[in-house]
Amino acid sequence: MRYPFLAGAAVALATAVLAACGSSGGSGDGGKEAAAGSKPPAAAAATPSVAGPAAGTPAPRPQKSSDAPKAPAGELTPATGSFTKKQKEYLTDRVPKGMDPAAVLQTGQETCDRLRYLDKADRDIAVGAIVSGEITDAGPAVAHLCPQHQDLVDDAARGYADGTHEGAALRPGRYRAASPTKACSWQVAGPGGKALASGSSETGKPVEVTVPESARTFTSTGCYAWLPRGDNG
């Protein structure tokens, strides 16, 4: 598994060390001249940039990887070897131009590895991680790379993450928060905002709630994820 943020931290640390050495290395008149010629950060920030955008013009937002043009399916080839049919299906419309498709494939494989580990340790935790969004993009990864975990994705699709759910998003039935925090609270409201059920828990132990047919909203905070009970229709 790669940890790019570790590499970034190492570069930042090296830059800071070099900067410190440069600022303390001078002495005598040369050091004084350098100090006299330098501007404090505030003054430097106040100096307008000739090449920069005009005052009041917002800086362009960085392009998201999801918005970047995608490489055509015919260009999805690894540096060595070849992709399987399923791997290529997973990569289609997911690899930004100029990016190594093997790196995108690794992300999907890591998702499958994580689901495999969590499912073995505690199935409820695995489903909850998908429901809450802690494991993102699980659907495509499972569909193409590890279909043996499709049941986890199917159950997660019938669960609730923390937040407010209403209208078509409500599915009557019984639900269980398998790993809530000690600040878990919930409320089910009917027509006109009338409270139908509410509760809280400070124990961190699993709790249950029933969402009736008459429910109009279901709000949850600090409960992490609500999973459908096996007896739900």
Side-chain angles (χ1 to χ4, degrees):
M1 186 178 297
R2 300 176 181 175
Y3 297 92
F5 66 89
L6 293 178
V11 172
L13 178 59
T15 303
V17 172
L18 290 175
C21 291
S23 62
S24 60
S27 60
D29 293 340
K32 292 178 181 179
E33 289 175 3
S38 62
K39 295 180 181 180
T47 303
S49 173
V50 175
T57 302
R61 293 188 301 174
Q63 189 179 45
K64 297 180 180 179
S65 60
S66 58
D67 299 332
K70 301 300 187 295
E75 297 180 6
L76 300 177
T77 55
T80 59
S82 61
F83 293 128
T84 66
K85 179 181 178 182
K86 286 295 185 180
Q87 288 173 337
K88 209 159 192 177
E89 288 175 354
Y90 171 75
L91 292 171
T92 299
D93 296 326
R94 304 178 66 83
V95 182
K97 285 188 175 181
M99 178 177 285
D100 182 1
V104 178
L105 178 62
Q106 181 183 357
T107 299
Q109 291 172 332
E110 288 174 352
T111 294
C112 288
D113 290 343
R114 191 173 181 190
L115 287 174
R116 186 180 304 111
Y117 172 81
L118 291 177
D119 189 24
K120 185 176 181 179
D122 188 321
R123 188 180 187 282
D124 283 349
I125 297 298
V127 176
I130 302 174
V131 172
S132 68
E134 182 181 340
I135 295 181
T136 60
D137 217 16
V142 168
H144 299 295
L145 304 177
C146 48
Q148 68 270 26
H149 296 308
Q150 187 61 49
D151 61 319
L152 302 179
V153 175
D154 292 343
D155 281 354
R158 298 186 294 121
Y160 295 103
D162 275 335
T164 298
H165 308 271
E166 56 188 353
L170 287 179
R171 297 170 295 278
R174 291 200 297 167
Y175 296 85
R176 176 173 178 263
S179 54
T181 70
K182 292 185 178 181
C184 173
S185 64
W186 64 92
Q187 182 181 54
V188 180
K194 180 181 178 181
L196 301 178
S198 62
S200 62
S201 175
E202 299 179 352
T203 66
K205 295 181 180 180
V207 291
E208 292 190 3
V209 65
T210 297
V211 178
E213 293 279 354
S214 58
R216 295 294 179 269
T217 63
F218 172 43
T219 302
S220 166
T221 302
C223 302
Y224 183 60
W226 295 89
L227 314 182
R229 286 284 304 268
D231 50 0
N232 281 2

